[in-house]
Amino acid sequence: MDPEPFEVGHVVREAINILSSSRNGVQISEALGTIKCYLGGTENQAPLKEREEFTRVHFSAFLRGLVSNLSPDWIELLTSDQQKELWDSFFLEGPADQVFLVLLDSIISMGPSFCLMKVISILEQFLQTGGMSALMWEVCHQQAQAGLPTFQETLLNKVVCLPDHLCNKLQGNNLPIFFPQNYFPLLATEIIQVLQRISDSLRDGLDCSISFVSQVLGKVCMHGRREEILKVLVPRLMDLTKVDCIWQRICWRLVECVPDRWIEAVVCGFVQKAPGADVLSRLLGNLVVKNKKAQFVVTQKLLLQQYSYATAVLQNLLGYLALDSLRRYLLIKVLKELLETWGSSSAVKHSPVEQQLYVSKAILICLSHLKEPEIESNGQELLTSMMGGMKCHLDSNLPRVRRLGMIVAESISSRITTDGPCLKFQYEDDDETRELKSLQQTALLQLPVTDLPNHEGGEGDMVKSTWTNSCLRFFHSDDDLIPYDMSEDKELKKMKVPVYIRDCIEVLTGSEDMDKWEATMKVLESLIRRNSATTREVSMELAKVLLHLEEKTYIEGFVELRKRALVAVTITDAVVQYLTSQFYSLNYSLCQRMDILDVLALAAQELSQPQASGKNKPRSTQSPCIQTVPGSDSSQNWRRIVDERIKSKTRRLAKGQSLVEPACGPNKFSSLAGHFFFPLIQNFDRPLVTFDLLGDDHLVLGRLAHTLAILMYFAIHTVAAAAMGKSLLEFVWALRFHTDSYVRQGLLSAVSSILLSVPSERLLEDMTDEFLETQSWLADVAEKDPDGDCRRLAWQNLLLMENLLKKLRSVPS
Amino acid sequence: MALPPPDPQFVLRGTSAEVHTLHFYCGGQEPDYPILFSGSSNGLIHVWNLKTRRVDTILDGHGGKSVYWVEAINGRDRLLSQGSNQQICLWDLAEGRNTVTDSVFTENVGFCKSSLLKVAQGHWLMAMPGKDLDEPDFGSCPFLLAGYEDGSVILWNLSGGKILSRLGCHQEPVMSLDFDSEKKKGVSGSSEEVLTVWSLDEQQNLKVQKTHKLVNAGIADVAIRQDKKILATAGWDHRIRIFGWKKLKPLAILNYHTATVHCVSFSDHSRPSERLLAAGSKDHRISIWSIYNQTSGALHCSLETRKPD
């Protein structure tokens, strides 16, 4: 045996003894000085072998000894210079991994004391002087010579959990450097330094392992701190990898070496933080090809399972797949999978609209990245999935889903057929469709990921600047004359308009003169409202004509004109029975049936509203019905603006009671409510040859549910309300598991109407069972329904129920 | 939200015939009340008192044929009127008289109006249409602008009787034109659906500056207000349109008449705030409007209140 190791051990033990027993400053400092020789760096170093021996075997023990001896009066035996030179230097200059472990262990085990404060201040200095990079470098260095796995494991834990430990220990007195928002950025800069040293040593031809750094990165990301660490790390790496291929290799290795269980967190972080697909490609390399787990995350999880990421992230991700020939097969694979999801009718029905939007965006971006030959070789497949997907999207009742289907189908078809006609749908453009369409073009022009707060700020500025612009234009325009409203400037019609209702019927049924026909349509509603007596004579005929009327030539707002006229007829004379019976009869188009529903709803609304002395006032716009055109006219608007302006300029000293009495009159809907309601609800489950509410025609079913809800709502304070509520609850119960979310929305609003319109005593006494059943169904919907609107409606209903019950309890019967 | 266009300030009824021409005389001193002359299709010229809004006098001198041009000269004592009986009459209206003192026979049987230029005190030049002229108008002193039925506008030098410039600016006959001699640009309307603004450059050449497409075809009359701020047109579509004269920015559509508007005219009130616009129509009515005649200060005040907080 070599005697020297024994000797080093002897010296160390002696020194520890002196430290713990002696009360003599000089003796202590001498002992410390002796040990210091083993650390090296001073002029009288111990031989190399002894130094290695010391650091490997005795250093930790010695440090522990130092810490355990620490007490206020002990430390005062040394002068402050000596403290710094002898005591502190062991921690700041010794092997960083051991120092770190000893420090953290003692912090964890110690109670609040002077000693703890001292150790913490040493730890702070340790962090500030780049201790972490020394630590990681140390481990990386050892790893090349196969270090101890358990030791590394503990070290890793301590490094990542340092903020937690210190926070637990110090509570309110924590130092800022240990806050996660400060510590992890610091860690990131230290990581960069280690990587710098690794790259230097690689350039010198030395071997180095990076896996400990990867582990640190992975574990930090996993612990939910990827925002803090990648905020610093990604931009630095982006700069460093720009020109240097060794740095690129290091970066690739860094991500590749992250253990599988943490790779998801790291990859997600990189995808979100990278400012563009090219950067992402530089940082990740061909990771998705090499690592199965990463591949799964990128191609499945981020695209098909999650849908909360911004569009820019999608662009990064898919652009990354498209950038390298090795990865392009994945792009095509991803596209096929996306199309499969997009085209699956079950997904369209059951997944939230937001997810469908996300998938659609992904498809559009994929398409924009595909090249001609790739499309050609997959053309047939694309076509098939497009046809399938288009069908189930167009079947949907939600306009947004239909539009998504149209846009994606249009874009696919335009890519498949380069020459010749491609699909073209008619839909109104809004922000969403414009965004989707822009995605088709932005393949090469990558949008950078901007931080959200910045983005908002920018937008605010923009709004402000346009506002000031418009103001400036207002004040400094050349001619300061303000134009009047010129919307009335329409083309002049030279046609005589009919004056009698019978003439109108004649024109509408027989005339081939389109101008006359158009003029008639425009004047019909006012004629009907003015001549109620004549209308009564011909009401049935008129209703029939109007219901079967088709748009022979293009008239602006034809549908609305016809609907208004029908409503006017319905109000003037009870043709309700006719309309309700026609709803379930043969030989009507779905469109006509839905018109019947709309007319009934509008008529019910108008009837139920009190009208002072029979005057027909313009309809209020905030009604809950499905109005397509708000009926306010400009003079009303103008009056409102003037009133508001007067109000704002007038100071009122005392505000008296408002004197405006609400218009009152008998509710005309009361006697008719039953006629509106029951014929509609009776036959919904009896399919006709051309009309099957429970089958394919779920759009009409949805409208029916909404209309019933509206009728119920307007039937408040009527005698029939309780009976109506009961049968409507049964209707809801029968259809509660309908697959179409539009129908479910209708049912939920029907429940709301019931809760609002049916007197609460009736509801709770006569329909207790139904009430309770509905409540449990609502709770279920509120939690599990895939559609956001449905969930919200269900919550509202539950709240309404809660309030009802509360009110009932507070009034003892 | 733009304000709805205003209603007419008042309406003069009782001509019992289509109103073809209007002429204000408002420049008189205080005891004199503002006057509006109107010529109608039954050959009568009505003299309206704008204070009482009643007819003062009715002049009958065109044998029941329609009157399509009237203009006062020498204050309100003399009146020139042109009718489709191919006569241009000079009336003496001083001290309550209403007699035709002189008349000229014109060869023209069309609907072209004459034009008058005051050369010096008591000395006028009148351009009257010959066989195929249409709507003449004076520019600066010896120049005459004339619109023709072939859609062109021609600038004549009167001293030499030469054509200086010719501009084919319409496909259809020019119905009316007006010229702003300050800015050296004019406007013409025709029976098609465009309004054309043309300018006169240093070399006395006419150039089309801007055209404005209307919703409905047919401009019977155009008039630029004396302050050169706005332009009014009389439309066959029953509407009076107001444009900003600087940029031809559409400002308002005045919708009152139920038949073709034949003529528009701005009053020559000395105070800008009293300035009126009159329009005569086939529906026998003359509508009087007060529009865009606030001073600019007042306008700014109203803007101030419109500003959103």
Side-chain angles (χ1 to χ4, degrees):
Chain A
M1 276 289 284
D2 207 348
E4 276 167 285
F6 182 75
E7 192 192 325
V8 177
H10 182 74
V11 173
V12 171
R13 227 169 299 128
E14 208 162 75
I16 293 178
N17 268 338
I18 289 171
L19 294 180
S20 56
S21 57
S22 169
R23 281 286 162 264
N24 184 338
V26 183
Q27 208 178 357
I28 289 172
S29 58
E30 265 172 20
L32 287 174
T34 331
I35 301 295
K36 190 99 195 286
C37 297
Y38 291 113
L39 265 188
T42 46
E43 52 271 24
N44 50 347
Q45 301 182 348
L48 178 71
K49 216 161 188 189
E50 284 180 24
R51 267 162 36 211
E52 272 179 6
E53 159 84 20
F54 173 74
T55 47
R56 210 175 60 237
V57 185
H58 304 289
F59 186 62
S60 295
F62 176 71
L63 285 182
R64 274 177 230 283
L66 271 184
V67 172
S68 64
N69 279 322
L70 204 57
S71 66
D73 40 340
W74 184 84
I75 199 84
E76 270 168 23
L77 295 174
L78 299 172
T79 61
S80 65
D81 277 350
Q82 279 173 327
Q83 275 180 34
K84 257 198 202 101
E85 196 179 315
L86 294 174
W87 202 87
D88 296 3
S89 64
F90 281 107
F91 292 93
L92 300 178
E93 286 159 26
D97 47 350
Q98 296 183 44
V99 171
F100 184 76
L101 271 189
V102 169
L103 284 177
L104 264 200
D105 279 346
S106 23
I107 287 173
I108 293 166
S109 57
M110 268 189 271
S113 62
F114 164 79
C115 184
L116 180 67
M117 293 327 290
K118 180 76 189 166
V119 174
I120 281 171
S121 76
I122 281 288
L123 181 61
E124 190 185 358
Q125 279 181 46
F126 177 79
L127 290 182
Q128 280 163 349
T129 51
M132 292 316 274
S133 66
L135 180 149
M136 283 186 277
W137 170 245
E138 203 101 30
V139 179
C140 288
H141 208 58
Q142 287 167 13
Q143 240 167 7
Q145 306 137 21
L148 304 159
T150 42
F151 174 72
Q152 278 180 24
E153 191 71 16
T154 4
L155 201 54
L156 180 66
N157 267 330
K158 293 272 157 40
V159 168
V160 175
C161 302
L162 178 132
D164 301 335
H165 285 309
L166 279 149
C167 177
N168 281 341
K169 184 58 75 183
L170 297 176
Q171 311 272 337
N173 304 323
N174 206 350
L175 300 176
I177 195 170
F178 302 128
F179 292 168
Q181 63 266 38
N182 299 331
Y183 174 73
F184 289 107
L186 177 84
L187 196 57
T189 45
E190 302 285 279
I191 285 178
I192 293 287
Q193 267 169 24
V194 175
L195 293 179
Q196 184 74 55
R197 284 174 81 167
I198 290 176
S199 99
D200 290 346
S201 78
L202 282 180
R203 273 171 232 271
D204 295 345
L206 287 173
D207 232 9
C208 232
S209 159
I210 204 170
S211 74
F212 183 71
V213 184
S214 300
Q215 283 175 25
V216 171
L217 179 64
K219 199 168 168 91
V220 170
C221 287
M222 197 56 206
H223 275 223
R225 297 295 175 190
R226 69 176 177 219
E227 180 66 33
E228 285 94 343
I229 195 161
L230 292 182
K231 187 172 68 185
V232 177
L233 202 55
V234 168
R236 290 297 311 277
L237 285 176
M238 193 175 91
D239 290 341
L240 288 168
T241 52
K242 206 170 273 173
V243 281
D244 194 337
C245 66
I246 288 189
W247 265 104
Q248 273 187 25
R249 292 289 305 278
I250 289 176
C251 191
W252 296 350
R253 280 301 289 175
L254 176 70
V255 189
E256 277 164 25
C257 288
V258 173
D260 274 356
R261 59 187 188 280
W262 297 326
I263 193 106
E264 180 185 345
V266 176
V267 168
C268 286
F270 270 82
V271 169
Q272 277 175 288
K273 275 285 154 193
D278 52 335
V279 175
L280 191 63
S281 172
R282 231 160 50 208
L283 295 182
L284 293 187
N286 278 331
L287 178 73
V288 278
V289 185
K290 291 179 197 153
N291 187 322
K292 280 275 167 253
K293 182 99 188 219
Q295 190 178 58
F296 176 77
V297 168
V298 168
T299 60
Q300 303 281 319
K301 220 163 178 179
L302 286 175
L303 291 174
L304 297 168
Q305 295 177 6
Q306 300 172 342
Y307 56 94
S308 56
Y309 297 106
T311 317
V313 173
L314 269 180
Q315 279 172 327
N316 273 353
L317 190 65
L318 296 166
Y320 162 70
L321 290 182
L323 269 176
D324 192 292
S325 56
L326 277 174
R327 302 187 291 251
R328 273 195 91 86
Y329 82 94
L330 281 175
L331 183 71
I332 295 161
K333 186 171 149 236
V334 160
L335 176 61
K336 283 178 189 163
E337 275 162 353
L338 283 168
L339 281 174
E340 199 178 306
T341 314
W342 178 76
S344 122
S345 66
S346 149
V348 172
K349 241 177 246 166
H350 298 292
S351 62
V353 192
E354 290 76 22
Q355 182 165 20
Q356 298 185 35
L357 175 67
Y358 187 78
V359 169
S360 305
K361 278 181 188 166
I363 292 177
L364 291 177
I365 297 172
C366 274
L367 281 174
S368 73
H369 284 298
L370 283 191
K371 291 183 181 133
E372 289 306 326
E374 285 165 331
I375 289 185
E376 261 164 43
S377 59
N378 293 295
Q380 199 52 44
E381 235 168 304
L382 286 177
L383 185 68
T384 339
S385 39
M386 180 190 83
M387 294 315 264
M390 200 167 62
K391 183 185 171 303
C392 55
H393 274 86
L394 291 180
D395 272 348
S396 167
N397 284 347
L398 301 174
R400 198 168 160 202
V401 174
R402 283 204 296 272
R403 217 163 40 202
L404 278 182
M406 292 184 213
I407 293 170
V408 174
E410 268 181 9
S411 134
I412 297 176
S413 91
S414 74
R415 286 311 303 268
I416 298 176
T417 53
T418 42
D419 45 344
C422 52
L423 274 178
K424 188 86 195 125
F425 290 99
Q426 283 188 336
Y427 47 85
E428 275 174 31
D429 269 340
D430 60 5
D431 289 349
E432 191 175 290
T433 62
R434 275 189 285 273
E435 190 198 346
L436 284 171
K437 281 181 182 166
S438 71
L439 290 181
Q440 300 170 28
Q441 281 114 42
T442 49
L444 298 171
L445 197 137
Q446 290 290 340
L447 291 173
V449 185
T450 39
D451 278 339
L452 211 63
N454 269 342
H455 193 65
E456 273 171 15
E459 228 166 25
D461 283 350
M462 214 168 66
V463 169
K464 208 187 280 170
S465 69
T466 53
W467 189 86
T468 42
N469 264 344
S470 70
C471 278
L472 285 179
R473 216 177 42 233
F474 233 28
F475 287 108
H476 300 293
S477 113
D478 280 347
D479 25 2
D480 42 4
L481 305 171
I482 318 147
Y484 287 99
D485 177 26
M486 279 185 288
S487 54
E488 290 298 303
D489 193 16
K490 304 251 173 62
E491 224 164 296
L492 194 67
K493 290 281 147 21
K494 295 202 179 82
M495 193 41 62
K496 274 248 160 65
V497 289
V499 188
Y500 300 106
I501 293 180
R502 282 177 201 280
D503 289 350
C504 290
I505 297 179
E506 222 163 83
V507 171
L508 292 180
T509 49
S511 172
E512 290 301 311
D513 184 343
M514 286 311 146
D515 284 338
K516 200 165 186 180
W517 197 76
E518 192 178 336
T520 309
M521 273 320 285
K522 287 194 173 149
V523 82
L524 190 56
E525 190 203 353
S526 59
L527 271 185
I528 295 172
R529 285 187 192 268
R530 245 182 288 144
N531 314 315
S532 47
T534 334
T535 308
R536 266 185 216 113
E537 290 168 22
V538 291
S539 60
M540 199 58 100
E541 200 184 336
L542 194 55
K544 231 178 263 180
V545 169
L546 282 171
L547 193 57
H548 290 93
L549 201 60
E550 276 170 15
E551 192 169 8
K552 286 191 198 166
T553 166
Y554 175 73
I555 302 180
E556 219 184 320
F558 169 80
V559 179
E560 195 57 24
L561 286 172
R562 184 176 78 140
K563 209 180 279 173
R564 291 259 196 85
L566 258 177
V567 171
V569 178
T570 316
I571 291 162
T572 327
D573 192 48
V575 288
V576 178
Q577 278 115 327
Y578 170 72
L579 286 180
T580 47
S581 67
Q582 295 308 299
F583 181 72
Y584 282 112
S585 65
L586 283 167
N587 301 334
Y588 278 99
S589 71
L590 295 187
C591 197
Q592 282 168 319
R593 290 181 211 272
M594 289 197 282
D595 280 345
I596 294 179
L597 291 177
D598 279 358
V599 167
L600 288 174
L602 286 169
Q605 184 194 10
E606 203 167 329
L607 283 173
S608 68
Q609 271 163 4
Q611 285 168 345
S613 65
K615 260 188 212 153
N616 292 319
K617 285 186 181 165
R619 233 164 269 124
S620 72
T621 44
Q622 72 273 27
S623 55
C625 56
I626 353 161
Q627 267 184 331
T628 40
V629 168
S632 83
D633 61 15
S634 55
S635 69
Q636 288 274 320
N637 247 328
W638 169 80
R639 167 84 40 203
R640 190 172 49 78
I641 290 169
V642 170
D643 285 349
E644 271 170 11
R645 206 178 295 165
I646 292 173
K647 208 182 275 173
S648 68
K649 294 264 184 264
T650 316
R651 181 170 299 175
R652 304 215 168 157
L653 297 174
K655 218 169 188 173
Q657 290 266 310
S658 135
L659 291 175
V660 185
E661 242 178 75
C664 47
N667 183 349
K668 291 190 198 151
F669 187 58
S670 159
S671 52
L672 293 170
H675 290 303
F676 273 80
F677 185 83
F678 290 110
L680 280 186
I681 207 172
Q682 255 166 13
N683 295 323
F684 73 94
D685 49 356
R686 275 169 230 164
L688 299 172
V689 187
T690 53
F691 184 47
D692 181 10
L693 271 181
L694 296 187
D696 283 341
D697 299 325
H698 43 76
L699 175 62
V700 187
L701 184 64
R703 287 291 270 274
L704 176 65
H706 278 102
T707 308
L708 289 173
I710 292 165
L711 293 178
M712 186 71 232
Y713 177 79
F714 288 123
I716 189 166
H717 304 315
T718 59
V719 187
M724 282 166 70
K726 194 168 166 96
S727 48
L728 191 52
L729 268 183
E730 277 161 16
F731 175 80
V732 170
W733 187 245
L735 292 173
R736 68 194 186 283
F737 292 130
H738 203 279
T739 49
D740 195 311
S741 57
Y742 183 65
V743 175
R744 286 201 304 276
Q745 284 170 15
L747 297 178
L748 288 164
S749 40
V751 174
S752 308
S753 302
I754 296 169
L755 294 175
L756 291 169
S757 292
V758 179
S760 46
E761 298 81 20
R762 295 269 74 72
L763 200 59
L764 293 175
E765 282 165 23
D766 302 353
M767 311 171 211
T768 327
D769 290 347
E770 288 93 337
F771 186 84
L772 292 176
E773 278 171 349
T774 316
Q775 195 172 23
S776 66
W777 169 63
L778 286 174
D780 204 41
V781 172
E783 224 162 273
K784 292 180 190 153
D785 201 290
D787 185 79
D789 284 337
C790 282
R791 286 198 299 272
R792 212 181 48 245
L793 281 170
W795 278 117
Q796 275 172 1
N797 280 334
L798 284 173
L799 261 173
L800 276 175
M801 285 183 158
E802 198 64 32
N803 286 346
L804 268 186
L805 289 173
K806 224 182 267 168
K807 203 161 61 182
L808 222 62
R809 252 181 254 129
S810 64
V811 182
S813 48
Chain B
M1 176 71 216
L3 293 177
D7 292 326
Q9 204 173 38
F10 53 88
V11 176
L12 304 176
R13 294 179 174 85
T15 58
S16 63
E18 299 175 22
V19 180
H20 276 294
T21 181
L22 291 167
H23 179 73
F24 276 102
Y25 179 78
C26 310
Q29 294 306 308
E30 199 37 57
D32 281 356
Y33 40 81
I35 284 178
L36 177 68
F37 299 99
S38 73
S40 8
S41 61
N42 56 1
L44 300 182
I45 297 165
H46 292 78
V47 183
W48 301 87
N49 177 345
L50 289 182
K51 212 166 194 175
T52 58
R53 299 170 192 180
R54 296 283 187 275
V55 179
D56 252 12
T57 337
I58 298 176
L59 312 174
D60 184 2
H62 286 280
K65 298 285 177 61
S66 86
V67 178
Y68 49 77
W69 181 66
V70 287
E71 191 150 340
I73 50 174
N74 200 8
R76 43 187 295 186
D77 298 341
R78 295 288 184 92
L79 181 74
L80 277 167
S81 71
Q82 179 190 14
S84 55
N85 61 347
Q86 294 173 276
Q87 294 280 345
I88 297 177
C89 302
L90 178 64
W91 298 82
D92 180 11
L93 303 179
E95 294 156 2
R97 290 188 294 270
N98 50 1
T99 50
V100 178
T101 55
D102 198 359
S103 72
V104 185
F105 181 77
T106 64
E107 291 178 347
N108 182 29
V109 288
F111 45 85
C112 178
K113 299 172 177 182
S114 303
S115 185
L116 199 64
L117 176 71
K118 185 174 182 178
V119 180
Q121 188 64 38
H123 184 193
W124 285 271
L125 261 183
M126 183 172 75
M128 62 186 204
K131 273 227 155 71
D132 50 15
L133 269 175
D134 188 12
E135 183 58 31
D137 196 357
F138 277 106
S140 55
C141 181
F143 298 122
L144 172 70
L145 280 164
Y148 289 81
E149 284 192 22
D150 65 355
S152 58
V153 171
I154 292 182
L155 178 69
W156 291 87
N157 188 341
L158 292 185
S159 50
K162 278 185 301 199
I163 293 181
L164 286 176
S165 174
R166 177 195 167 96
L167 179 71
C169 52
H170 293 284
Q171 305 295 320
E172 303 278 329
V174 176
M175 297 301 295
S176 60
L177 54 82
D178 200 353
F179 188 75
D180 170 6
S181 44
E182 288 172 20
K183 297 199 186 77
K184 298 258 186 271
K185 61 175 190 168
V187 57
S188 60
S190 83
S191 53
E192 59 184 357
E193 50 201 13
V194 283
L195 190 66
T196 309
V197 173
W198 26 265
S199 60
L200 186 64
D201 62 14
E202 307 289 314
Q203 286 82 42
Q204 316 295 354
N205 280 323
L206 291 170
K207 265 192 306 194
V208 172
Q209 198 179 44
K210 193 172 177 167
T211 57
H212 181 79
K213 184 124 170 53
L214 301 165
V215 180
N216 294 304
I219 295 291
D221 198 7
V222 291
I224 303 168
R225 197 162 69 180
Q226 283 82 347
D227 62 2
K228 316 294 183 205
K229 273 204 171 142
I230 56 171
L231 163 77
T233 67
W236 290 1
D237 60 351
H238 315 175
R239 289 166 200 155
I240 304 157
R241 284 157 209 278
I242 308 289
F243 297 89
W245 175 231
K246 203 173 272 177
K247 291 177 179 165
L248 210 66
K249 169 182 168 195
L251 290 176
I253 311 288
L254 306 180
N255 205 350
Y256 167 77
H257 290 288
T258 54
T260 299
V261 183
H262 283 314
C263 51
V264 283
S265 175
F266 283 106
S267 77
D268 51 351
H269 276 103
S270 45
R271 257 181 291 175
S273 61
E274 286 171 0
R275 254 180 220 145
L276 296 174
L277 165 69
S281 158
K282 195 179 176 181
D283 64 2
H284 304 185
R285 289 178 194 168
I286 300 166
S287 55
I288 310 285
W289 309 76
S290 168
I291 190 164
Y292 290 118
N293 45 15
Q294 291 101 328
T295 52
S296 61
L299 211 64
H300 271 282
C301 274
S302 75
L303 275 178
E304 222 54 79
T305 57
R306 285 165 63 93
K307 197 173 79 177
D309 316 281

